[in-house]
């Protein structure tokens, strides 16, 4: 445990006892220094102030750097969203122009039933050839394959009743929404109040395995054990526009997807999570290697192919068989 972490539990307990927030907490701390120590009078004039400002500026710099990193990450995510939207609009505009450029029918005449049947067959054949440049029978096979994969997941007893993850690989629930990366979890909790909240109006308690979020004088919106442990010193929360709690929880295990935020939540299917490859660059070398292996194994399972471990076993077996051609393996069964 680091020097900074050592007293977190005590300080969190103290903070919870101060309804006035940070001002009250600081008042207690400096009152203690004045009453029980020689902090103010033990050195030369201005020494206490210099010591205080030195510590303040140190952590102000650290907090500023962290806020800068999060701002850059948020701006990058917004840039990607806008770029995706721009590409989608360009595609729609291209399709619209293509439709407008089609020559209109010069004359209109009534056709016979035989001609109508023949025209209908020709249109169906043309559509089957034009959809993504893939013949209709191949599209059918692809859909059948996708459907089979979904059916396989649905048939798996472990996947029964699990929800599909939202676009952020988390879950949208009636009272809040959460998303996740391998590094952290973001929770958004709307207050549903008619007025803007202030920090002194709310209760947010974050523990290693427990989360409480609510408004003073009202039943808590969240009060439950977290599914997994978090790093307290890296967790933050703010009130957005005085209406929404925005909570960021740092994971301890950075190679594990959460299937629920708190233990009473419905589970999501972690098999259907779609991680962002760009986030891998944020991980250290060892963790990144583990995550890439997990992603590779997941793709292999979806394709019905051996995972990295299974492939390794097959390679060892193949090498053994080549080294011992005198042995008959034809009646052996290998799992």
């Amino acid at each position: 445990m680091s020097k900074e972490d050592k007293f977190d539990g005590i300080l969190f307990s103290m903070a919870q006892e101060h309804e006035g927030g940070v001002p009250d907490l600081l008042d207690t701390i400096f009152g203690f220094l004045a009453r029980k120590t020689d902090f103010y009078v033990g050195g030369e004039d201005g020494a206490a102030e210099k010591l205080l400002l030195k510590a303040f500026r140190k952590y102000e710099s650290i907090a500023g750097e962290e806020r800068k990193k999060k701002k850059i990450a948020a701006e990058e995510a917004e840039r990607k969203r806008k770029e995706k939207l721009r590409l989608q609009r360009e595609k729609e505009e291209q399709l619209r122009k293509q439709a407008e450029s089609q020559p209109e029918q010069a004359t209109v005449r009534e056709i016979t039933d035989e001609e109508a049947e023949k025209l209908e067959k020709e249109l169906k054949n043309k559509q089957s050839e034009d959809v993504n440049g893939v013949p209709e029978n191949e599209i059918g096979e692809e859909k059948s394959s996708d459907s089979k994969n979904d059916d396989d997941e649905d048939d798996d007893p472990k996947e029964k009743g699990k929800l599909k993850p939202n676009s952020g690989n988390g879950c949208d629930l009636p009272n809040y929404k959460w998303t996740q990366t391998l590094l952290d979890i973001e929770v958004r909790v709307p207050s549903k109040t008619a007025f803007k909240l202030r920090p002194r109006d709310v209760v947010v308690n974050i523990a290693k395995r427990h989360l409480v979020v609510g408004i003073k004088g009202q039943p808590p919106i969240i009060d439950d054990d977290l599914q997994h442990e978090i790093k307290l010193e890296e967790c933050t929360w703010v009130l957005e526009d005085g209406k929404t709690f925005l909570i960021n929880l740092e994971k301890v295990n950075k190679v594990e997807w959460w299937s629920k935020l708190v233990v009473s939540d419905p589970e999501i299917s972690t098999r259907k999570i779609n991680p962002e490859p760009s986030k891998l660059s944020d991980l250290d070398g060892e963790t990144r290697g583990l995550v890439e292996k997990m992603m590779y194994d997941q793709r292999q399972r979806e394709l019905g192919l051996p995972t990295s471990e299974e492939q390794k076993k097959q390679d060892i077996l193949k090498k053994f068989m080549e080294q011992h051609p005198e042995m008959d393996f034809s009646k052996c069964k290998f799992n």
Side-chain angles (χ1 to χ4, degrees):
M1 181 180 292
S2 69
K3 179 183 175 183
E4 289 80 6
D5 300 341
K6 185 176 180 181
F7 302 106
D8 279 356
I10 297 172
L11 292 171
F12 268 118
S13 297
M14 288 178 60
Q16 291 171 7
E17 295 296 324
H18 290 78
E19 294 187 0
V22 173
D24 279 5
L25 177 62
L26 291 176
D27 187 68
T28 297
I29 292 173
F30 288 114
F32 168 78
L33 292 174
R35 291 181 293 103
K36 301 295 182 180
T37 74
D38 61 351
F39 176 74
Y40 291 101
V41 297
E44 60 184 18
D45 290 345
E49 184 178 3
K50 289 179 182 178
L51 187 62
L52 173 64
L53 290 174
K54 182 180 178 182
F56 172 80
R57 285 168 182 154
K58 173 185 174 182
Y59 289 102
E60 181 185 37
S61 175
I62 293 172
E65 287 296 321
E66 187 64 25
R67 180 172 58 184
K68 185 178 178 182
K69 288 179 183 178
K70 290 185 177 181
K71 182 179 179 182
I72 292 172
E75 288 174 349
E76 178 65 12
E78 179 65 12
R79 184 191 67 77
K80 288 181 179 179
R81 186 189 70 80
K82 289 181 178 179
E83 178 66 12
K84 184 178 179 181
L85 184 61
R86 183 185 67 80
L87 291 174
Q88 183 178 349
R89 287 175 178 171
E90 286 182 358
K91 185 177 180 181
E92 291 174 354
E93 180 66 15
Q94 184 180 1
L95 290 173
R96 185 186 65 78
K97 289 181 178 179
Q98 185 178 352
E100 291 177 352
S101 66
Q102 295 292 332
E104 296 183 358
Q105 189 75 12
T107 59
V108 179
R109 69 176 182 85
E110 185 175 356
I111 60 175
T112 64
D113 291 341
E114 290 78 12
E115 288 174 324
E117 185 177 355
K118 182 180 178 181
L119 180 60
E120 184 178 1
K121 288 181 179 179
E122 289 177 353
L123 288 172
K124 284 183 178 180
N125 291 334
K126 184 71 170 63
Q127 287 175 349
S128 68
E129 293 173 358
D130 286 345
V131 177
N132 295 327
V134 182
E136 185 176 18
N137 60 336
E138 291 185 16
I139 293 173
E141 290 175 4
E142 184 179 346
K143 287 182 179 178
S144 176
S145 175
D146 292 343
S147 176
K148 183 178 179 181
N149 287 338
D150 290 341
D151 290 342
D152 288 343
E153 287 189 352
D154 292 339
D155 290 340
D156 187 344
K158 294 181 180 179
E159 293 297 301
K160 292 284 186 181
K162 291 185 179 181
L163 303 177
K164 184 178 179 181
N166 61 20
S167 58
N169 296 321
C171 190
D172 296 339
L173 298 168
N175 293 327
Y176 56 91
K177 168 186 177 180
W178 65 276
T179 59
Q180 66 175 321
T181 68
L182 281 168
L183 302 176
D184 56 16
I185 287 180
E186 183 179 275
V187 188
R188 288 183 174 274
V189 187
S191 65
K192 300 180 182 179
T193 57
F195 56 92
K196 283 191 175 183
L197 295 171
R198 294 166 295 179
R200 67 185 185 188
D201 300 324
V202 303
V203 177
V204 178
N205 293 331
I206 304 174
K208 287 188 176 181
R209 286 295 296 265
H210 197 89
L211 177 64
V212 178
V213 181
I215 301 170
K216 289 181 180 178
Q218 299 182 17
I221 303 170
I222 302 175
D223 185 3
D224 206 345
D225 289 338
L226 296 165
Q227 186 183 27
H228 300 293
E229 196 168 297
I230 57 173
K231 294 178 69 174
L232 278 180
E233 63 274 17
E234 300 296 333
C235 297
T236 59
W237 70 273
V238 295
L239 274 174
E240 279 191 335
D241 302 324
K243 290 286 187 178
T244 302
F245 298 86
L246 176 58
I247 305 163
N248 186 271
L249 307 176
E250 189 84 7
K251 294 180 179 179
V252 170
N253 186 343
K254 299 186 184 302
V255 294
E256 181 178 34
W257 294 107
W258 289 27
S259 63
K260 56 175 72 174
L261 176 65
V262 293
V263 295
S264 61
D265 281 351
E267 275 195 291
I268 63 169
S269 173
T270 54
R271 289 189 184 182
K272 298 177 181 177
I273 280 178
N274 183 27
E276 293 184 46
S278 61
K279 293 296 182 182
L280 291 177
S281 60
D282 297 336
L283 305 176
D284 60 71
E286 182 180 357
T287 304
R288 178 172 179 172
L290 288 171
V291 173
E292 287 177 338
K293 179 178 179 296
M294 290 167 57
M295 294 170 63
Y296 172 81
D297 288 345
Q298 183 178 348
R299 287 194 297 268
Q300 291 294 95
R301 291 191 191 97
E302 291 172 352
L303 296 172
L305 299 174
T307 63
S308 55
E309 290 296 327
E310 292 167 347
Q311 185 63 54
K312 185 177 179 180
K313 291 178 183 178
Q314 290 180 13
D315 291 342
I316 293 173
L317 176 60
K318 183 179 179 181
K319 185 176 180 180
F320 180 80
M321 293 171 68
E322 290 173 349
Q323 291 174 346
H324 299 275
E326 74 281 0
M327 298 180 67
D328 181 14
F329 296 91
S330 61
K331 295 182 180 179
C332 294
K333 294 182 179 179
F334 302 99
N335 293 324

